[in-house]
Amino acid sequence: MRILILGATGFLGSNLFQLATENKNLTVFGTSRFQHENSNIMQVDVTNKQSIRSAIRKINPEVVIWSLMSFEEETKLINLGLENLLSEIESAAKLIFLSTDAVFVEGIGGYNETDPIGTLPKKAALADYVNGKYTGENLILNKHPNHVILRTGPLYGNNGDQGIEKRTIQIIEKIKENQSFDAWTNVYRTFVNVNDLSSTIIELTNIKFNGILHAGPIHKESYYTFFKKRLEQLGWNNSLLRPTIRSKEDAPYLSFDTSLNTQKAHQLLKTNFRTVD
């Protein structure tokens, strides 16, 4: 099976590319914005119609995985890049679109696949990213029936050459300087190991499933409990971690609980979603 990973050099994409290439049933290609030493990773700009057209025609993929993201320019990436992709891929090709828990802007937690999603006001910090993903989901629902919209919470884990997730690296740097740091006790997410998410995506390339799926472990974590466990897991002292309550007044556009109900994925897939413990 020929698969194309759009964004094969990012934190998730590079992990997925490596894992997929170990599967003898898959012929794996990827894209990057820049030239790459691996001949199976092509330089492609999805916002350029000719660039993505050339890649699609050369590979003729049976599965396309959208693991691209841009916090600052997500809307442009979707409106140009995803539209270009949808105009070029065959209707028979499966499109796996990586979305986010952040589309649940009300922040009440325990979200099912059928729960309504929303957008953020333009002045919100994550507005472009969240609103872009919202638009992307709707484009796919309306234009490409053979799809999987895969929603996930924040990623963590060891990704070989790229190391661990940036949010934890930033805290480790503070520990090295003997600086304390705040972590929210009342903001909850479904934290997902990058290796587990990659395994999920590979499974989804080979099973007959279309629709929306929430990926991750059953239980949610606050940012405080996540960082406390993650630092311990990595062998770092977590005593400088300060439990902090975030207020709605200080963060009016923060979604306090975007945790996902992942029961459907656990029933459908063989992948075992680990917890951070």
Side-chain angles (χ1 to χ4, degrees), residues 55-92:
I56 294 296
R57 291 184 177 181
K58 179 179 180 180
I59 297 166
N60 190 24
E62 296 164 86
V63 179
V64 178
I65 300 157
W66 180 281
S67 61
L68 298 164
M69 64 169 289
S70 172
F71 278 115
E72 297 82 11
E73 295 191 313
E74 187 72 23
T75 300
K76 177 183 176 182
L77 183 63
I78 294 297
N79 287 336
L80 290 177
L82 184 58
E83 283 276 21
N84 287 342
L85 174 66
L86 292 172
S87 70
E88 296 297 331
I89 59 172
E90 298 288 339
S91 60

Side-chain angles (χ1 to χ4, degrees), residues 18 27 45 56 60 66 88 128 133 152 154 168 186-187 200 231 233 238 251 253 261 268-269 273:
Q18 178 60 43
T27 303
D45 176 5
I56 294 296
N60 190 24
W66 180 281
E88 296 297 331
D128 197 81
K133 288 296 188 185
T152 177
T168 304
N186 63 329
V187 180
T200 295
L231 289 170
Q233 189 180 67
N238 59 20
Y253 303 117
N261 183 324
L268 178 69
L269 303 171
F273 295 96

Side-chain angles (χ1 to χ4, degrees), residues 213-227:
L213 193 65
H214 290 174
I218 296 292
H219 300 293
K220 66 184 179 182
E221 299 276 359
S222 70
Y223 274 95
Y224 174 76
T225 59
F226 169 78
F227 283 126

